[in-house]
Amino acid sequence: MADEELPPPSRNGDLRLPRSVSMQKDDYYNYVELMCEDVIRKNVWFYRDRTGLPRGPCTLNTVRKCYANGIVDQHTLFWGNGLGDWVPLRNIRGMSASLNDPKTRFVKFLVDKFAFPKKDRRANRDALYDEGLAKSPSYSRDDAAAWRKRREEALVAGEETTMLSLSLAAPRAERLGLKVKGFFAERIANRAKKNGEEEQGVRRA
């Protein structure tokens, strides 16, 4: 008995297999969105007003009030813990869902419809432009589309640059056009391949 080799002591935890969690793709993205919303709710935010001055700190409830009253919009630059630079509100993951709750949407509807309609905002912008206090007048939908096209062409040509936090370490301007063309070419090729496989499946059926 003394010469027999005894097995090493074991614990109950050693007998348990590691837990594996599998999620569907939609469930995983919903889980990530919920995590982002939780981080946004607990974070402290700063934003730049229309003159470029930083304002804050403010909680998510304050951001909701500013958004509903038109003080900030989707293009306002924001910063919070975890962000490397000032980024537009629309680029912060989870922020859009946090600002589209029923209460905020209803208050924003009342402000846009009755308190300060879009027509009055455009007139105010044009008046400020005439006084020299605004860089540009209010844009129509066609004017905004033309400006966006010029902006994209300037970015591809390397005449203008974008913020690093927005580009997420994108390639340099001279390679940006090739990257974009390759991306769309790959999508078109995959779509054509998928359509061809579907046609073959129909023929076989």
Side-chain angles (χ1 to χ4, degrees), residues 102-121:
K103 182 179 178 180
T104 305
R105 292 178 62 183
F106 179 69
V107 175
K108 186 169 179 58
F109 167 76
L110 294 179
V111 173
D112 293 341
K113 190 69 176 179
F114 303 104
F116 198 29
K118 184 180 292 186
K119 183 179 180 181
D120 295 345
R121 293 201 300 266

Side-chain angles (χ1 to χ4, degrees), residues 117-136:
K118 184 180 292 186
K119 183 179 180 181
D120 295 345
R121 293 201 300 266
R122 289 182 178 275
N124 185 39
R125 174 76 180 193
D126 294 337
L128 292 175
Y129 176 73
D130 294 337
E131 296 175 5
L133 300 178
K135 294 183 178 180
S136 61

Side-chain angles (χ1 to χ4, degrees), residues 157-181:
E159 299 173 358
E160 296 184 11
T161 58
T162 182
M163 296 171 60
L164 179 62
S165 55
L166 302 183
S167 61
L168 298 179
R172 294 184 181 273
E174 54 267 24
R175 294 187 295 164
L176 183 58
L178 298 177
K179 289 285 185 179
V180 172
K181 292 179 181 178

Side-chain angles (χ1 to χ4, degrees), residues 2-160:
D3 296 336
E4 293 183 2
E5 186 176 354
L6 298 177
S10 60
R11 299 170 297 178
N12 293 333
D14 297 334
L15 303 178
R16 299 174 185 171
L17 295 176
R19 181 184 177 186
S20 61
V21 179
S22 59
M23 293 184 181
Q24 297 293 332
K25 187 175 182 179
D26 295 339
D27 295 338
Y28 172 76
Y29 284 118
N30 292 336
Y31 173 76
V32 172
E33 289 295 331
L34 290 176
M35 292 292 292
C36 292
E37 293 177 16
D38 183 63
V39 172
I40 286 174
R41 186 171 58 254
K42 297 178 180 179
N43 208 341
V44 178
W45 299 100
F46 297 81
Y47 70 92
R48 290 189 178 274
D49 60 14
R50 302 185 189 278
T51 62
L53 294 177
R55 304 287 183 178
C58 53
T59 62
L60 180 61
N61 289 332
T62 306
V63 175
R64 285 173 175 167
K65 294 177 182 178
C66 294
Y67 181 76
N69 289 279
I71 299 174
V72 300
D73 55 17
Q74 295 291 338
H75 309 287
T76 305
L77 294 177
F78 269 78
W79 181 87
N81 292 327
L83 295 178
D85 204 342
W86 295 87
V87 296
L89 182 66
R90 63 180 183 275
N91 288 18
I92 303 176
R93 187 169 188 175
M95 181 66 83
S96 178
S98 300
L99 297 179
N100 282 330
D101 61 300
K103 182 179 178 180
T104 305
R105 292 178 62 183
F106 179 69
V107 175
K108 186 169 179 58
F109 167 76
L110 294 179
V111 173
D112 293 341
K113 190 69 176 179
F114 303 104
F116 198 29
K118 184 180 292 186
K119 183 179 180 181
D120 295 345
R121 293 201 300 266
R122 289 182 178 275
N124 185 39
R125 174 76 180 193
D126 294 337
L128 292 175
Y129 176 73
D130 294 337
E131 296 175 5
L133 300 178
K135 294 183 178 180
S136 61
S138 59
Y139 281 171
S140 64
R141 183 173 299 180
D142 296 336
D143 295 336
W147 175 87
R148 190 178 299 109
K149 184 178 180 180
R150 292 195 303 269
R151 169 72 170 168
E152 293 174 354
E153 293 175 352
L155 287 174
V156 173
E159 299 173 358
E160 296 184 11

